[in-house]
Amino acid sequence: MTDIVIIPMREHSKGIRNKNIFRFNNGLTSLEMLKKVLKKLDDVDIYVSTESTLIKKFANSVGIKVLMRSLELGNDEATIDDVVEDLMMNPIIDYYQNIWIIQATCPLISLKSLKIIRETLNSNLEIDTVFSAREVKAFIWET
């Protein structure tokens, strides 16, 4: 059965407006980098969840489907929990085995990490949630 990957993106992000569609030095946006990695996984459908017609237009232009959400889920008070709760009410979710939420702000997640996550979910039915994390030292001189 196919998995669904949902990348939440809001137009009015905190700090840097439209940071999710800025191009990096390699000429790709975070969304395009994520798509490049995710397409190497078998049986995944990729969607962007957004309230923004601008982001919808951009996602469609790079070949990614869009799930529109309410404007309230794009404001600074909305949490990822609010977005996920809204997504769980969408009937499209019923057609998928696993639901992946991947933040557009982590475009450098590795294919190896994604494969480990999928293997973990599929091999142990007692596990219903997996997240990736990486230990980062605040200062390079700390040991």
Side-chain angles (χ1 to χ4, degrees):
M1 193 172 194
T2 303
D3 291 353
I4 186 170
V5 175
I6 301 169
I7 305 166
M9 297 177 77
R10 62 177 162 195
E11 182 176 346
H12 302 289
S13 53
K14 295 178 187 174
I16 303 172
R17 185 177 162 96
N18 294 322
K19 66 184 172 201
N20 296 319
I21 58 174
F22 283 165
R23 296 204 179 276
F24 290 88
N25 285 340
N26 63 1
L28 298 174
T29 64
S30 60
L31 186 58
E32 291 166 313
M33 287 189 279
L34 281 170
K35 179 184 174 189
K36 196 173 181 179
V37 172
L38 292 167
K39 281 296 184 187
K40 293 180 182 177
L41 288 175
D42 295 326
D43 298 323
V44 295
D45 288 343
I46 306 169
Y47 286 83
V48 162
S49 167
T50 189
E51 75 295 337
S52 166
T53 54
L54 173 68
I55 290 176
K56 176 184 179 184
K57 188 175 182 178
F58 176 74
N60 287 155
S61 77
V62 297
I64 297 179
K65 299 174 228 170
V66 176
L67 297 172
M68 292 302 290
R69 61 185 187 212
S70 70
L71 289 174
E72 292 79 32
L73 291 173
N75 67 37
D76 284 345
E77 289 76 41
T79 65
I80 190 65
D81 293 340
D82 298 329
V83 171
V84 170
E85 185 177 339
D86 180 69
L87 288 167
M88 296 307 293
M89 302 303 289
N90 190 319
I92 197 170
I93 296 299
D94 296 337
Y95 296 100
Y96 295 95
Q97 180 176 347
N98 296 309
I99 304 163
W100 302 52
I101 306 294
I102 299 180
Q103 298 288 12
T105 52
C106 65
L108 303 179
I109 191 165
S110 71
L111 181 60
K112 179 181 175 184
S113 293
L114 294 172
K115 286 182 175 182
I116 290 169
I117 290 168
R118 175 178 267 172
E119 183 181 311
T120 301
L121 283 171
N122 291 340
S123 66
N124 187 339
L125 297 178
E126 293 181 11
I127 296 175
D128 66 358
T129 305
V130 178
F131 68 92
S132 66
R134 183 176 183 143
E135 183 178 352
V136 177
K137 293 185 178 5
F139 300 102
I140 198 165
W141 55 84
E142 289 184 349
T143 58

